[in-house]
Amino acid sequence: LDIKQYYPKKSPFFKDDKFLTFKNYILALNSLQRISKLAFEINKSENYDYVIYMRPDVLFTKKFDIKWFDLCKGKIILTPSFHKWGGLNDRFSIGKPEIIKLYGYRFNYLEKRMMLISERLLKYVVEKDKYKNIDIKFVFKRIRADGKMDVKDVKL
């Protein structure tokens, strides 16, 4: 992946970041697309009723409510109600396979919109294809590789 082709003129996140946060964002979207291709294209014989996408670095602080599956009808995608940053929380999602593909293939929309904030990109993709988001009260915290909790998640 030639990441530099996606770089904006200056680092959009932090002055001294040297594009590290942006690079991680692009790599995350690319990885998400690759795993989505594996699930939806390579393993076509698999027939899923629902798909759940979740970050691998989270500590769940609330139990999963299986009633959320009942909300996944039609063109609906479920995302957590916190840390939306002007878009939709992109750390967890539930939906029917045909709907949830949007979540996994967001990388395809990156060049067209050059969205610099992942949550806003997810909202754009959902609204563009006329899907509806339902916020769910599902709280969890990100745990970094060193075992420490992300500072933005401590008070959740």
Side-chain angles (χ1 to χ4, degrees):
L1 178 66
D2 179 15
I3 295 175
K4 292 196 176 188
Q5 70 177 315
Y6 299 100
Y7 279 23
K9 290 185 171 135
K10 62 180 184 171
S11 182
F13 296 101
F14 309 104
K15 287 182 182 179
D16 299 330
D17 188 45
K18 298 182 182 171
F19 289 95
L20 181 61
T21 302
F22 186 75
K23 178 182 173 185
N24 289 339
Y25 169 53
I26 299 298
L27 289 173
L29 287 176
N30 186 53
S31 294
L32 187 59
Q33 180 152 309
R34 287 175 179 242
I35 196 69
S36 297
K37 281 185 179 181
L38 179 64
F40 296 117
E41 295 175 30
I42 296 171
N43 293 333
K44 285 184 190 178
S45 63
E46 295 294 330
N47 215 357
Y48 305 107
D49 292 326
Y50 305 96
V51 176
I52 299 173
Y53 273 109
M54 67 180 113
R55 285 178 55 141
D57 63 345
V58 297
L59 170 68
F60 294 105
T61 58
K62 183 179 177 183
K63 289 185 178 184
F64 182 89
D65 187 346
I66 62 168
K67 292 178 185 172
W68 289 330
F69 290 125
D70 295 336
L71 300 174
C72 299
K73 296 179 179 167
K75 298 176 93 175
I76 293 176
I77 188 168
L78 279 62
T79 61
S81 58
F82 70 100
H83 284 185
K84 296 168 64 160
W85 313 120
L88 300 175
N89 185 315
D90 68 331
R91 301 172 195 166
F92 181 92
S93 185
I94 307 169
K96 294 281 191 178
E98 58 274 10
I99 307 302
I100 206 74
K101 284 181 187 179
L102 286 173
Y103 187 92
Y105 287 109
R106 283 178 283 154
F107 188 84
N108 292 339
Y109 294 86
L110 191 61
E111 283 184 79
K112 295 174 187 165
R113 282 289 288 203
M114 234 12 236
M115 288 284 189
L116 303 179
I117 298 172
S118 184
E119 294 83 1
R120 291 182 187 168
L121 175 62
L122 180 56
K123 183 178 180 180
Y124 166 77
V125 170
V126 167
E127 290 177 350
K128 178 197 170 298
D129 287 338
K130 298 186 177 25
Y131 292 103
K132 180 181 177 190
N133 175 72
I134 294 178
D135 287 337
I136 55 174
K137 292 188 184 221
F138 190 46
V139 179
F140 46 85
K141 301 174 181 192
R142 292 169 291 171
I143 306 298
R144 298 301 182 202
D146 62 4
K148 294 179 182 171
M149 188 177 302
D150 186 291
V151 294
K152 294 182 199 116
D153 294 356
V154 172
K155 293 183 180 180
L156 287 175

